Amino acid sequence: MAAVERAGRRRGMTAVVGSCWVSLQAWCGPLPALLLAVLVAGSCEGNSVERKIYIPLNKTAPCVRLLNATHQIGCQSSISGDTGVIHVVEKEEDLNWVLADGPHPPYMILLDGNLFNRKVMQQLKGTSRVSGLAVSIAKPNPPQGFSPGLKCPNDGFGVYSKDYGPQYAHCNRTVWNPMGSGLSYEDFDFPIFLLEDANETQVIKQCYQDHNVPTDGSGPEYPLCAMQLFSHMHAVTSTVTCMRRNSIQNTFSINPETVCDPLLDYNVWSTLHPINSSEKVDPKKEFIMVATRIDSHSFFWNIAPGAESAVSSFVTHLAAAEALHKASDVHLLQRNIMFTFFQGETFDYIGSSRMVYDMEKDKFPLRLENIHSFVELNQVALRNGSILWMHTDPVSRLNATVEPQIKNLLDILTNSSVGANVTFQEVGFSQSLPPSSFQRFLRARHIPGVVLTDHQASFQNRYYQSMYDTPENIRMQYPEGLSPEETLEYVTDTAKSLAEVATVVARALYRLAGGANDTSAIQADPKTITQMLYGFLIKMNNSWFQSIIKPDLKGILGDDVPQHYVAVSSPVNTTYLVQYVLANLTGTVVNLTKEECLNPEKAPNAEKEMYDYAWVQGSLDPNSTSRVPYCVRSTVRLSKALSPAFELREWGSTEYSTWTESRWKEIRARIFLVASKELEIITLVVGIAILVFSLVATHFINAKADVLFSIPRDPGAVAY
């Protein structure tokens, strides 16, 4: 690793010639190396030499810029990338070298994950001696907890305001996320990257140890180990500004350049009894809406494991849907049940606000008037003992019409848990609803509803909206030595616990829908839950997921750890997989050919408006390497999860989410050796001298070309 480059934000001199100098100086001595470096300068520009100069960091995740109606948050580098000398910070005292003592600013800090907190970041944010940050993942998870989210998530976009329950607005009574530092909602003017690979982290530390460690309190000698981070963002200021620029570009430019995109995806929904998706449901028809969110977030782009904040609830929801569909008399239930999975809820309720908007504007089969009651599964994996808490809205309970309905809902839930290892307890009247999709429906209509959680007041989850909300956070443990297939099938204690929750929820939904028979046969399957937990938290590319998706979607099953960020390209992997898992668990295998399955109108009695048909890969044939595909009929549908603010072009809306994500040209990181400023100057001066000498020599040769290159006359020739 031999290189010379000194290109911080304050000075950016390219020194490709000097890149060769560091290695040549060691090889053949100072003066010959200098001359030889000049001679081979041209060759140093090739890709092969670049690979020898730089070590790329391939397993990183950047902090990117997000924008809303009023602010920009996140991070970015300068347009040419930011460079600095690496300094490893493993304890707070190490910051002194970066902030005051070190003689070679600006610095690129390799920060221990346990120090990635608001106190340290505020110190680094206020100095020009820092050009960027690379954060290593703390192993094990920080014991004190870590949440870069807000203490009051989605504040201002729920139901509570100065006009509705003002005493509950802005989390006045309950701080839901006390660990929230708000780091994800700060704006940093330097790049910050997460190092996902421990081996790459070790390479950086070794480079630091070899070249950058201070000796006896004095600065190390050149060459020094440096890092360069590229993450320049195109959008600035706010969503209002960037969307206006998009609009101008699209109007006047032949080749418009988009600078930001709205966060969007699709909600996934299905019904217990099929409905015509192209028509409006009869206003007299009643539906129980069951809801949960399927997205998460962290400080770094597309790092959103969301084990407790999202996965635990939507996996439980899926298992409850399966258990209910297996009941023998569900076709006799008086009320229908709608299973809903919202996308983008992390960012001011994108998915739920869009569904409410569509219902109000008659753009959805259901209207708000069709909703009889609302049951939402929130964070449910970290129960204390057997208790699951029932949260209701204290304001709507003051309504004489709504209160008896809520009381009936709570009674049914409580009675459904009798004899089970789950105990429902009601939260007191003085407490508001936690952050939940239900709040967006309450903004539009008084609907009897309940939010089920594992926390009575503040979140049990100490890693809410962070990179540490992983399987370990919800106590998923596997014996050592299991193969991937054995791990997929191994039923964990977490799966058993969530199966208990799914069972009582399914039984309660059966009662709410009018079921009167014994519910003991309604039972969620722990094996199904353990497969879902493995697929959504550990490895999407597993045999079960492979068998239930369409052949043209097999590319979404990458080998990376699953992430659940809503993003701007849709549908994302999570949405697709929730869609096909739900279809697999609640649908029916039908005897249709591939052509009929892909084109249901060609099949007799297909009822395309009532059902969705999917031709899936199927499992591997035991006697060959080919799969046995089949057709699945289900009631699973997708609906758009794009904030109404963008439909209405109200980019400064305070009613709806306005989050956008900036575009960028490249995201990359690399390390290399950097030489002293003096050597760069010498290299530059020598290069200029050689250039001047070359110009003078070329001019002289050109002027004397007739003399230097004239053809001598043959002395034996005779002229007549």
Side-chain angles (χ1 to χ4, degrees), residues 270-272 285-291 317 324 333-340 366 370-376 408-409 412 447-448 450 505 508-514:
S270 74
T271 53
L272 186 65
K285 296 282 187 181
E286 293 183 331
F287 285 75
I288 316 294
M289 178 171 276
V290 193
H317 187 170
L324 201 53
L333 296 179
Q334 301 170 8
R335 300 186 183 99
N336 206 340
I337 300 176
M338 180 176 173
F339 304 98
T340 316
L366 274 69
N370 291 118
I371 302 176
H372 170 269
S373 51
F374 198 105
V375 177
E376 179 168 352
N408 179 60
L409 173 59
I412 289 175
I447 299 172
V450 62
V505 169
L509 293 174
Y510 175 83
R511 293 289 186 216
L512 281 168

mmCIF file of all heavy atoms in Angstrom, residues 270-272 285-291 317 324 333-340 366 370-376 408-409 412 447-448 450 505 508-514:
data_model
loop_
_atom_site.group_PDB
_atom_site.id
_atom_site.type_symbol
_atom_site.label_atom_id
_atom_site.label_comp_id
_atom_site.label_asym_id
_atom_site.label_seq_id
_atom_site.Cartn_x
_atom_site.Cartn_y
_atom_site.Cartn_z
ATOM 1 N N SER A 270 -54.907 -7.725 2.910
ATOM 2 C CA SER A 270 -55.764 -8.814 2.443
ATOM 3 C C SER A 270 -56.984 -8.884 3.344
ATOM 4 O O SER A 270 -57.013 -8.266 4.419
ATOM 5 C CB SER A 270 -55.014 -10.147 2.452
ATOM 6 O OG SER A 270 -54.862 -10.623 3.778
ATOM 7 N N THR A 271 -57.983 -9.633 2.918
ATOM 8 C CA THR A 271 -59.198 -9.781 3.715
ATOM 9 C C THR A 271 -59.483 -11.264 3.957
ATOM 10 O O THR A 271 -59.097 -12.122 3.168
ATOM 11 C CB THR A 271 -60.406 -9.144 3.008
ATOM 12 O OG1 THR A 271 -60.514 -9.675 1.684
ATOM 13 C CG2 THR A 271 -60.257 -7.639 2.943
ATOM 14 N N LEU A 272 -60.161 -11.519 5.057
ATOM 15 C CA LEU A 272 -60.507 -12.903 5.400
ATOM 16 C C LEU A 272 -61.477 -13.470 4.369
ATOM 17 O O LEU A 272 -61.295 -14.581 3.875
ATOM 18 C CB LEU A 272 -61.122 -12.949 6.797
ATOM 19 C CG LEU A 272 -61.404 -14.333 7.374
ATOM 20 C CD1 LEU A 272 -60.116 -15.105 7.592
ATOM 21 C CD2 LEU A 272 -62.171 -14.208 8.697
ATOM 22 N N LYS A 285 -71.382 -3.232 5.303
ATOM 23 C CA LYS A 285 -70.424 -4.289 5.634
ATOM 24 C C LYS A 285 -69.436 -3.779 6.681
ATOM 25 O O LYS A 285 -68.901 -2.675 6.568
ATOM 26 C CB LYS A 285 -69.658 -4.719 4.387
ATOM 27 C CG LYS A 285 -70.516 -5.366 3.307
ATOM 28 C CD LYS A 285 -70.840 -6.810 3.648
ATOM 29 C CE LYS A 285 -71.542 -7.494 2.478
ATOM 30 N NZ LYS A 285 -71.881 -8.897 2.791
ATOM 31 N N GLU A 286 -69.185 -4.605 7.700
ATOM 32 C CA GLU A 286 -68.272 -4.204 8.769
ATOM 33 C C GLU A 286 -66.977 -5.008 8.696
ATOM 34 O O GLU A 286 -66.996 -6.211 8.413
ATOM 35 C CB GLU A 286 -68.931 -4.411 10.134
ATOM 36 C CG GLU A 286 -70.103 -3.478 10.383
ATOM 37 C CD GLU A 286 -70.681 -3.654 11.777
ATOM 38 O OE1 GLU A 286 -70.592 -4.781 12.325
ATOM 39 O OE2 GLU A 286 -71.209 -2.677 12.337
ATOM 40 N N PHE A 287 -65.871 -4.312 8.986
ATOM 41 C CA PHE A 287 -64.544 -4.925 8.938
ATOM 42 C C PHE A 287 -63.806 -4.673 10.245
ATOM 43 O O PHE A 287 -63.856 -3.570 10.803
ATOM 44 C CB PHE A 287 -63.707 -4.338 7.794
ATOM 45 C CG PHE A 287 -64.109 -4.819 6.423
ATOM 46 C CD1 PHE A 287 -65.262 -4.352 5.809
ATOM 47 C CD2 PHE A 287 -63.325 -5.738 5.740
ATOM 48 C CE1 PHE A 287 -65.631 -4.780 4.551
ATOM 49 C CE2 PHE A 287 -63.682 -6.181 4.476
ATOM 50 C CZ PHE A 287 -64.838 -5.703 3.877
ATOM 51 N N ILE A 288 -63.125 -5.697 10.720
ATOM 52 C CA ILE A 288 -62.150 -5.520 11.798
ATOM 53 C C ILE A 288 -60.814 -5.268 11.108
ATOM 54 O O ILE A 288 -60.362 -6.109 10.328
ATOM 55 C CB ILE A 288 -62.013 -6.783 12.682
ATOM 56 C CG1 ILE A 288 -63.376 -7.382 13.025
ATOM 57 C CG2 ILE A 288 -61.176 -6.481 13.912
ATOM 58 C CD1 ILE A 288 -64.253 -6.562 13.877
ATOM 59 N N MET A 289 -60.188 -4.136 11.365
ATOM 60 C CA MET A 289 -58.887 -3.868 10.755
ATOM 61 C C MET A 289 -57.779 -4.249 11.727
ATOM 62 O O MET A 289 -57.739 -3.769 12.867
ATOM 63 C CB MET A 289 -58.748 -2.398 10.350
ATOM 64 C CG MET A 289 -57.389 -2.078 9.761
ATOM 65 S SD MET A 289 -57.257 -0.414 9.040
ATOM 66 C CE MET A 289 -57.936 -0.713 7.427
ATOM 67 N N VAL A 290 -56.893 -5.123 11.270
ATOM 68 C CA VAL A 290 -55.710 -5.514 12.045
ATOM 69 C C VAL A 290 -54.512 -4.899 11.338
ATOM 70 O O VAL A 290 -54.357 -5.057 10.124
ATOM 71 C CB VAL A 290 -55.546 -7.045 12.106
ATOM 72 C CG1 VAL A 290 -54.516 -7.423 13.150
ATOM 73 C CG2 VAL A 290 -56.867 -7.717 12.390
ATOM 74 N N ALA A 291 -53.666 -4.208 12.081
ATOM 75 C CA ALA A 291 -52.599 -3.445 11.427
ATOM 76 C C ALA A 291 -51.272 -3.614 12.142
ATOM 77 O O ALA A 291 -51.214 -3.893 13.346
ATOM 78 C CB ALA A 291 -52.969 -1.957 11.373
ATOM 79 N N HIS A 317 -48.412 -10.861 13.390
ATOM 80 C CA HIS A 317 -49.604 -10.549 12.590
ATOM 81 C C HIS A 317 -49.812 -11.610 11.503
ATOM 82 O O HIS A 317 -50.931 -12.122 11.313
ATOM 83 C CB HIS A 317 -49.412 -9.166 11.970
ATOM 84 C CG HIS A 317 -50.600 -8.619 11.256
ATOM 85 N ND1 HIS A 317 -50.663 -7.322 10.815
ATOM 86 C CD2 HIS A 317 -51.768 -9.185 10.865
ATOM 87 C CE1 HIS A 317 -51.812 -7.117 10.214
ATOM 88 N NE2 HIS A 317 -52.501 -8.228 10.223
ATOM 89 N N LEU A 324 -56.125 -17.896 11.807
ATOM 90 C CA LEU A 324 -57.542 -17.579 11.618
ATOM 91 C C LEU A 324 -58.087 -18.189 10.334
ATOM 92 O O LEU A 324 -59.220 -18.693 10.291
ATOM 93 C CB LEU A 324 -57.714 -16.065 11.604
ATOM 94 C CG LEU A 324 -59.108 -15.508 11.918
ATOM 95 C CD1 LEU A 324 -59.633 -16.062 13.234
ATOM 96 C CD2 LEU A 324 -59.063 -13.990 11.966
ATOM 97 N N LEU A 333 -68.455 -16.154 9.604
ATOM 98 C CA LEU A 333 -68.321 -14.972 10.457
ATOM 99 C C LEU A 333 -69.103 -13.796 9.881
ATOM 100 O O LEU A 333 -69.104 -13.550 8.670
ATOM 101 C CB LEU A 333 -66.847 -14.602 10.612
ATOM 102 C CG LEU A 333 -65.962 -15.632 11.325
ATOM 103 C CD1 LEU A 333 -64.522 -15.158 11.386
ATOM 104 C CD2 LEU A 333 -66.493 -15.914 12.729
ATOM 105 N N GLN A 334 -69.753 -13.051 10.769
ATOM 106 C CA GLN A 334 -70.598 -11.927 10.351
ATOM 107 C C GLN A 334 -69.780 -10.768 9.812
ATOM 108 O O GLN A 334 -70.207 -10.073 8.881
ATOM 109 C CB GLN A 334 -71.445 -11.446 11.541
ATOM 110 C CG GLN A 334 -72.356 -12.511 12.136
ATOM 111 C CD GLN A 334 -72.964 -12.045 13.451
ATOM 112 O OE1 GLN A 334 -72.818 -10.891 13.843
ATOM 113 N NE2 GLN A 334 -73.651 -12.960 14.139
ATOM 114 N N ARG A 335 -68.643 -10.531 10.420
ATOM 115 C CA ARG A 335 -67.804 -9.408 9.998
ATOM 116 C C ARG A 335 -66.567 -9.937 9.277
ATOM 117 O O ARG A 335 -66.044 -10.999 9.599
ATOM 118 C CB ARG A 335 -67.374 -8.564 11.202
ATOM 119 C CG ARG A 335 -68.537 -7.968 11.978
ATOM 120 C CD ARG A 335 -68.050 -7.022 13.069
ATOM 121 N NE ARG A 335 -69.179 -6.514 13.836
ATOM 122 C CZ ARG A 335 -69.572 -6.998 15.015
ATOM 123 N NH1 ARG A 335 -68.893 -8.005 15.576
ATOM 124 N NH2 ARG A 335 -70.617 -6.491 15.635
ATOM 125 N N ASN A 336 -66.110 -9.139 8.323
ATOM 126 C CA ASN A 336 -64.875 -9.467 7.613
ATOM 127 C C ASN A 336 -63.688 -8.947 8.415
ATOM 128 O O ASN A 336 -63.841 -8.079 9.289
ATOM 129 C CB ASN A 336 -64.900 -8.845 6.215
ATOM 130 C CG ASN A 336 -64.046 -9.604 5.224
ATOM 131 O OD1 ASN A 336 -63.151 -10.356 5.607
ATOM 132 N ND2 ASN A 336 -64.319 -9.411 3.944
ATOM 133 N N ILE A 337 -62.519 -9.450 8.136
ATOM 134 C CA ILE A 337 -61.291 -8.994 8.804
ATOM 135 C C ILE A 337 -60.290 -8.582 7.737
ATOM 136 O O ILE A 337 -60.067 -9.317 6.768
ATOM 137 C CB ILE A 337 -60.691 -10.102 9.703
ATOM 138 C CG1 ILE A 337 -61.688 -10.500 10.789
ATOM 139 C CG2 ILE A 337 -59.382 -9.628 10.337
ATOM 140 C CD1 ILE A 337 -61.219 -11.661 11.656
ATOM 141 N N MET A 338 -59.708 -7.421 7.926
ATOM 142 C CA MET A 338 -58.716 -6.906 6.981
ATOM 143 C C MET A 338 -57.350 -6.894 7.657
ATOM 144 O O MET A 338 -57.162 -6.270 8.701
ATOM 145 C CB MET A 338 -59.094 -5.493 6.528
ATOM 146 C CG MET A 338 -58.106 -4.877 5.545
ATOM 147 S SD MET A 338 -58.687 -3.260 4.984
ATOM 148 C CE MET A 338 -57.258 -2.706 4.053
ATOM 149 N N PHE A 339 -56.403 -7.619 7.060
ATOM 150 C CA PHE A 339 -55.028 -7.681 7.583
ATOM 151 C C PHE A 339 -54.189 -6.662 6.803
ATOM 152 O O PHE A 339 -54.060 -6.758 5.581
ATOM 153 C CB PHE A 339 -54.459 -9.087 7.412
ATOM 154 C CG PHE A 339 -55.308 -10.157 8.042
ATOM 155 C CD1 PHE A 339 -56.203 -10.904 7.275
ATOM 156 C CD2 PHE A 339 -55.239 -10.408 9.398
ATOM 157 C CE1 PHE A 339 -56.995 -11.884 7.846
ATOM 158 C CE2 PHE A 339 -56.039 -11.387 9.994
ATOM 159 C CZ PHE A 339 -56.917 -12.125 9.212
ATOM 160 N N THR A 340 -53.626 -5.693 7.518
ATOM 161 C CA THR A 340 -52.965 -4.567 6.860
ATOM 162 C C THR A 340 -51.537 -4.406 7.371
ATOM 163 O O THR A 340 -51.305 -4.413 8.586
ATOM 164 C CB THR A 340 -53.744 -3.265 7.125
ATOM 165 O OG1 THR A 340 -55.140 -3.499 6.955
ATOM 166 C CG2 THR A 340 -53.296 -2.176 6.174
ATOM 167 N N LEU A 366 -62.575 -0.009 0.625
ATOM 168 C CA LEU A 366 -63.248 0.272 1.890
ATOM 169 C C LEU A 366 -63.340 1.769 2.122
ATOM 170 O O LEU A 366 -62.513 2.551 1.631
ATOM 171 C CB LEU A 366 -62.498 -0.363 3.067
ATOM 172 C CG LEU A 366 -62.818 -1.813 3.429
ATOM 173 C CD1 LEU A 366 -62.325 -2.752 2.344
ATOM 174 C CD2 LEU A 366 -62.188 -2.163 4.774
ATOM 175 N N ASN A 370 -66.684 1.686 7.060
ATOM 176 C CA ASN A 370 -66.741 0.228 7.097
ATOM 177 C C ASN A 370 -65.964 -0.371 8.266
ATOM 178 O O ASN A 370 -66.135 -1.547 8.588
ATOM 179 C CB ASN A 370 -66.180 -0.366 5.803
ATOM 180 C CG ASN A 370 -67.066 -0.101 4.596
ATOM 181 O OD1 ASN A 370 -66.666 0.558 3.642
ATOM 182 N ND2 ASN A 370 -68.290 -0.618 4.626
ATOM 183 N N ILE A 371 -65.089 0.438 8.891
ATOM 184 C CA ILE A 371 -64.227 -0.097 9.951
ATOM 185 C C ILE A 371 -65.002 -0.164 11.264
ATOM 186 O O ILE A 371 -65.359 0.862 11.852
ATOM 187 C CB ILE A 371 -62.954 0.759 10.111
ATOM 188 C CG1 ILE A 371 -62.179 0.813 8.791
ATOM 189 C CG2 ILE A 371 -62.070 0.182 11.217
ATOM 190 C CD1 ILE A 371 -60.958 1.711 8.832
ATOM 191 N N HIS A 372 -65.256 -1.381 11.714
ATOM 192 C CA HIS A 372 -65.985 -1.593 12.963
ATOM 193 C C HIS A 372 -65.081 -1.354 14.168
ATOM 194 O O HIS A 372 -65.480 -0.713 15.155
ATOM 195 C CB HIS A 372 -66.534 -3.022 12.998
ATOM 196 C CG HIS A 372 -67.107 -3.437 14.317
ATOM 197 N ND1 HIS A 372 -66.344 -4.056 15.294
ATOM 198 C CD2 HIS A 372 -68.363 -3.317 14.839
ATOM 199 C CE1 HIS A 372 -67.099 -4.296 16.344
ATOM 200 N NE2 HIS A 372 -68.336 -3.877 16.091
ATOM 201 N N SER A 373 -63.864 -1.863 14.103
ATOM 202 C CA SER A 373 -62.897 -1.693 15.187
ATOM 203 C C SER A 373 -61.492 -1.909 14.643
ATOM 204 O O SER A 373 -61.311 -2.436 13.543
ATOM 205 C CB SER A 373 -63.185 -2.646 16.353
ATOM 206 O OG SER A 373 -63.322 -3.975 15.890
ATOM 207 N N PHE A 374 -60.513 -1.503 15.427
ATOM 208 C CA PHE A 374 -59.123 -1.463 14.969
ATOM 209 C C PHE A 374 -58.236 -2.132 16.012
ATOM 210 O O PHE A 374 -58.280 -1.789 17.196
ATOM 211 C CB PHE A 374 -58.706 0.001 14.784
ATOM 212 C CG PHE A 374 -57.486 0.224 13.928
ATOM 213 C CD1 PHE A 374 -57.601 0.713 12.640
ATOM 214 C CD2 PHE A 374 -56.215 -0.033 14.421
ATOM 215 C CE1 PHE A 374 -56.490 0.949 11.846
ATOM 216 C CE2 PHE A 374 -55.087 0.184 13.640
ATOM 217 C CZ PHE A 374 -55.226 0.677 12.343
ATOM 218 N N VAL A 375 -57.429 -3.101 15.590
ATOM 219 C CA VAL A 375 -56.473 -3.778 16.482
ATOM 220 C C VAL A 375 -55.088 -3.647 15.859
ATOM 221 O O VAL A 375 -54.874 -4.073 14.726
ATOM 222 C CB VAL A 375 -56.819 -5.266 16.675
ATOM 223 C CG1 VAL A 375 -55.764 -5.944 17.551
ATOM 224 C CG2 VAL A 375 -58.207 -5.425 17.277
ATOM 225 N N GLU A 376 -54.176 -3.045 16.593
ATOM 226 C CA GLU A 376 -52.814 -2.868 16.068
ATOM 227 C C GLU A 376 -51.802 -3.603 16.930
ATOM 228 O O GLU A 376 -51.842 -3.521 18.171
ATOM 229 C CB GLU A 376 -52.442 -1.382 16.000
ATOM 230 C CG GLU A 376 -51.031 -1.150 15.477
ATOM 231 C CD GLU A 376 -50.732 0.290 15.133
ATOM 232 O OE1 GLU A 376 -51.671 1.109 15.164
ATOM 233 O OE2 GLU A 376 -49.563 0.599 14.826
ATOM 234 N N ASN A 408 -66.036 -3.319 25.121
ATOM 235 C CA ASN A 408 -66.328 -4.647 24.578
ATOM 236 C C ASN A 408 -65.095 -5.247 23.917
ATOM 237 O O ASN A 408 -64.795 -6.441 24.070
ATOM 238 C CB ASN A 408 -67.477 -4.544 23.580
ATOM 239 C CG ASN A 408 -67.813 -5.888 22.958
ATOM 240 O OD1 ASN A 408 -68.173 -6.839 23.651
ATOM 241 N ND2 ASN A 408 -67.682 -5.987 21.639
ATOM 242 N N LEU A 409 -64.350 -4.425 23.181
ATOM 243 C CA LEU A 409 -63.119 -4.870 22.522
ATOM 244 C C LEU A 409 -62.103 -5.365 23.547
ATOM 245 O O LEU A 409 -61.495 -6.439 23.391
ATOM 246 C CB LEU A 409 -62.546 -3.709 21.693
ATOM 247 C CG LEU A 409 -61.173 -3.884 21.046
ATOM 248 C CD1 LEU A 409 -61.157 -5.070 20.088
ATOM 249 C CD2 LEU A 409 -60.780 -2.604 20.297
ATOM 250 N N ILE A 412 -63.191 -8.740 25.122
ATOM 251 C CA ILE A 412 -62.972 -9.883 24.231
ATOM 252 C C ILE A 412 -61.506 -10.279 24.224
ATOM 253 O O ILE A 412 -61.159 -11.472 24.278
ATOM 254 C CB ILE A 412 -63.472 -9.545 22.812
ATOM 255 C CG1 ILE A 412 -64.995 -9.497 22.794
ATOM 256 C CG2 ILE A 412 -62.961 -10.572 21.799
ATOM 257 C CD1 ILE A 412 -65.592 -9.060 21.468
ATOM 258 N N ILE A 447 -62.885 5.777 15.907
ATOM 259 C CA ILE A 447 -62.982 4.337 15.680
ATOM 260 C C ILE A 447 -62.575 3.623 16.963
ATOM 261 O O ILE A 447 -61.515 3.922 17.529
ATOM 262 C CB ILE A 447 -62.056 3.900 14.520
ATOM 263 C CG1 ILE A 447 -62.459 4.600 13.221
ATOM 264 C CG2 ILE A 447 -62.091 2.386 14.338
ATOM 265 C CD1 ILE A 447 -61.493 4.370 12.076
ATOM 266 N N PRO A 448 -63.372 2.695 17.448
ATOM 267 C CA PRO A 448 -62.942 1.920 18.621
ATOM 268 C C PRO A 448 -61.687 1.126 18.262
ATOM 269 O O PRO A 448 -61.660 0.418 17.250
ATOM 270 C CB PRO A 448 -64.128 0.987 18.885
ATOM 271 C CG PRO A 448 -65.279 1.584 18.138
ATOM 272 C CD PRO A 448 -64.704 2.293 16.961
ATOM 273 N N VAL A 450 -57.531 -0.517 19.713
ATOM 274 C CA VAL A 450 -56.565 -0.837 20.754
ATOM 275 C C VAL A 450 -55.214 -1.093 20.111
ATOM 276 O O VAL A 450 -55.132 -1.600 18.987
ATOM 277 C CB VAL A 450 -57.026 -2.074 21.571
ATOM 278 C CG1 VAL A 450 -57.129 -3.305 20.673
ATOM 279 C CG2 VAL A 450 -56.093 -2.347 22.736
ATOM 280 N N VAL A 505 -54.401 -13.351 19.831
ATOM 281 C CA VAL A 505 -54.900 -12.308 18.931
ATOM 282 C C VAL A 505 -55.862 -12.916 17.913
ATOM 283 O O VAL A 505 -56.941 -12.361 17.644
ATOM 284 C CB VAL A 505 -53.730 -11.586 18.217
ATOM 285 C CG1 VAL A 505 -54.249 -10.695 17.086
ATOM 286 C CG2 VAL A 505 -52.936 -10.748 19.214
ATOM 287 N N ALA A 508 -59.140 -13.689 19.582
ATOM 288 C CA ALA A 508 -59.899 -12.460 19.846
ATOM 289 C C ALA A 508 -60.533 -11.925 18.567
ATOM 290 O O ALA A 508 -61.688 -11.468 18.579
ATOM 291 C CB ALA A 508 -58.980 -11.411 20.469
ATOM 292 N N LEU A 509 -59.804 -11.980 17.459
ATOM 293 C CA LEU A 509 -60.346 -11.522 16.178
ATOM 294 C C LEU A 509 -61.542 -12.376 15.768
ATOM 295 O O LEU A 509 -62.529 -11.864 15.215
ATOM 296 C CB LEU A 509 -59.263 -11.563 15.094
ATOM 297 C CG LEU A 509 -58.105 -10.576 15.263
ATOM 298 C CD1 LEU A 509 -57.026 -10.831 14.208
ATOM 299 C CD2 LEU A 509 -58.595 -9.132 15.177
ATOM 300 N N TYR A 510 -61.458 -13.656 16.020
ATOM 301 C CA TYR A 510 -62.569 -14.566 15.724
ATOM 302 C C TYR A 510 -63.819 -14.129 16.490
ATOM 303 O O TYR A 510 -64.925 -14.073 15.925
ATOM 304 C CB TYR A 510 -62.154 -15.992 16.098
ATOM 305 C CG TYR A 510 -63.247 -17.029 15.966
ATOM 306 C CD1 TYR A 510 -63.525 -17.617 14.734
ATOM 307 C CD2 TYR A 510 -63.995 -17.420 17.083
ATOM 308 C CE1 TYR A 510 -64.538 -18.580 14.620
ATOM 309 C CE2 TYR A 510 -64.996 -18.373 16.978
ATOM 310 C CZ TYR A 510 -65.260 -18.951 15.742
ATOM 311 O OH TYR A 510 -66.253 -19.883 15.629
ATOM 312 N N ARG A 511 -63.652 -13.824 17.763
ATOM 313 C CA ARG A 511 -64.786 -13.374 18.580
ATOM 314 C C ARG A 511 -65.302 -12.011 18.098
ATOM 315 O O ARG A 511 -66.517 -11.793 18.007
ATOM 316 C CB ARG A 511 -64.374 -13.264 20.044
ATOM 317 C CG ARG A 511 -64.053 -14.593 20.703
ATOM 318 C CD ARG A 511 -65.298 -15.413 20.911
ATOM 319 N NE ARG A 511 -65.048 -16.635 21.677
ATOM 320 C CZ ARG A 511 -65.652 -17.782 21.466
ATOM 321 N NH1 ARG A 511 -66.549 -17.886 20.478
ATOM 322 N NH2 ARG A 511 -65.373 -18.833 22.199
ATOM 323 N N LEU A 512 -64.400 -11.098 17.801
ATOM 324 C CA LEU A 512 -64.806 -9.770 17.336
ATOM 325 C C LEU A 512 -65.607 -9.852 16.041
ATOM 326 O O LEU A 512 -66.517 -9.047 15.800
ATOM 327 C CB LEU A 512 -63.575 -8.886 17.119
ATOM 328 C CG LEU A 512 -62.939 -8.251 18.352
ATOM 329 C CD1 LEU A 512 -61.580 -7.651 18.005
ATOM 330 C CD2 LEU A 512 -63.859 -7.179 18.917
ATOM 331 N N ALA A 513 -65.241 -10.806 15.204
ATOM 332 C CA ALA A 513 -65.926 -10.957 13.916
ATOM 333 C C ALA A 513 -67.255 -11.679 14.049
ATOM 334 O O ALA A 513 -67.963 -11.850 13.045
ATOM 335 C CB ALA A 513 -65.019 -11.695 12.935
ATOM 336 N N GLY A 514 -67.610 -12.086 15.262
ATOM 337 C CA GLY A 514 -68.904 -12.710 15.480
ATOM 338 C C GLY A 514 -68.860 -14.204 15.677
ATOM 339 O O GLY A 514 -69.912 -14.852 15.760
#
